[in-house]
Amino acid sequence: MFSGHLQEADALMARELDAAEPSTGMGEVYLVGGGPGDPDLLTFRALRLMQQAEVVVYDRLVAKAVLDMTRRDAQRHLRRQGARQPRDAPGGDQRAASPARDGRQARRAPQGGDPFIFGRGGEEIDTLAAQGVPFQVVPGITAASGCAAYAGIPLTHRDYAQSVTFVTGHLKDGTINLNWQQLAQPNQTVVFYMGLHGLGVICERLMAHGVPPDMPAALVQQGTTPMQRVYTGTVARCRPSSRGSSRSRRRCSSSARW
């Protein structure tokens, strides 16, 4: 090309492309970790693949600022409207696999954060592998590390917490079946994902298994976004009162940090 042989250069480029990756007629699915909310926390690889995807299947918890960084002409599909949808309802793995089988590049952003930490990444790759659909998994910053960093709360500390545990806080039949004895052990940080509705059960069970009532606790709302609020207090004080969980947040001191 630099010597002026443009036709020869075009022909050589075409031959190299054909030999490098023969077309299979099959697209690819990207399982991209969307991070905890702040689009600046996306990885370079996540951003690059997001801007390649022709079809974007996303969950309601994916931040709008992150979704806005996908291709403008991409087809967008909301995976589910609410938490009440049954787990066996048609999910993002099927919606992402369909366009991939048609030769298009599909991107899946599970529930923000990281696909393999309280997302459905494991279920999705099982479905994709069973259907022979190529896929890539891009890890993302999970809510625990992102929210803790933006709130100024170290998850581990040489003097106070030598380990950290991530736990689901979802209630089932009004309770949470967890290894409370292990979670009550000292010198660790325990992070409960989606634990607001089960806050009363969580605090009661922790104290029942030996956690001191004055153990420091924090609630982080809309972490890593400009709307982030951090409520700090103790395990005993952060329990919901009889008036509901909104009252419990007011009983903890509010320190909005950005």
Side-chain angles (χ1 to χ4, degrees):
M1 182 176 66
F2 289 124
S3 62
H5 298 85
L6 299 183
Q7 292 184 349
E8 290 88 341
D10 286 342
L12 178 61
M13 179 66 74
R15 288 197 300 270
E16 290 293 333
L17 290 174
D18 290 340
E21 189 174 352
S23 176
T24 62
M26 176 76 75
E28 189 174 23
V29 173
Y30 310 138
L31 301 178
V32 177
D38 186 350
D40 286 345
L41 296 180
L42 288 169
T43 64
F44 286 118
R45 185 180 181 191
L47 180 60
R48 175 171 57 84
L49 296 181
M50 285 165 55
Q51 295 179 346
Q52 292 180 10
E54 299 173 68
V55 179
V56 177
V57 183
Y58 65 99
D59 286 336
R60 61 182 178 85
L61 295 181
V62 176
K64 183 180 183 300
V66 172
L67 193 62
D68 287 343
M69 301 185 76
T70 59
R71 280 176 48 172
R72 293 183 179 180
D73 61 340
Q75 298 179 22
R76 296 183 181 183
H77 301 282
L78 179 62
R79 186 175 192 269
R80 57 193 176 102
Q81 294 292 342
R84 295 183 179 181
Q85 179 171 343
R87 290 181 60 88
D88 57 354
D93 43 11
Q94 295 289 350
R95 292 189 182 184
S98 179
R101 288 194 296 269
D102 295 337
R104 291 176 288 173
Q105 305 299 320
R107 172 211 174 210
R108 263 287 292 132
Q111 294 180 354
D114 183 277
F116 286 172
I117 299 180
F118 298 120
R120 299 194 180 189
E123 301 170 25
E124 303 214 358
I125 63 172
D126 285 344
T127 299
L128 295 170
Q131 298 183 11
V133 176
F135 61 86
Q136 297 184 39
V137 179
V138 182
I141 294 179
T142 187
S145 57
C147 293
Y150 277 50
I153 303 172
L155 293 178
T156 61
H157 191 285
R158 183 180 300 179
D159 298 326
Y160 305 109
Q162 288 77 51
S163 64
V164 58
T165 302
F166 299 162
V167 189
T168 178
H170 266 312
L171 285 175
K172 182 178 181 181
D173 299 326
T175 187
I176 310 175
N177 185 20
L178 298 173
N179 187 343
W180 296 105
Q181 193 68 41
Q182 177 182 343
L183 298 180
Q185 294 301 309
N187 303 115
Q188 65 171 328
T189 300
V190 181
V191 181
F192 288 89
Y193 282 69
M194 302 159 289
L196 183 59
H197 293 294
L199 184 59
V201 175
I202 292 171
C203 294
E204 292 290 352
R205 298 296 291 168
L206 287 174
M207 289 190 294
H209 285 81
V211 172
D214 61 351
M215 174 68 68
L219 307 178
V220 182
Q221 179 184 28
Q222 295 181 303
T224 77
T225 74
M227 290 76 69
Q228 171 174 305
R229 294 193 67 83
V230 181
Y231 302 88
T232 58
T234 64
V235 172
R237 291 188 63 206
C238 283
R239 289 178 298 169
S241 68
S242 59
R243 296 183 181 181
S245 59
S246 62
R247 172 65 175 169
S248 72
R249 292 196 296 269
R250 292 194 294 270
R251 292 172 65 186
C252 294
S253 61
S254 174
S255 55
R257 302 174 183 172
W258 171 240

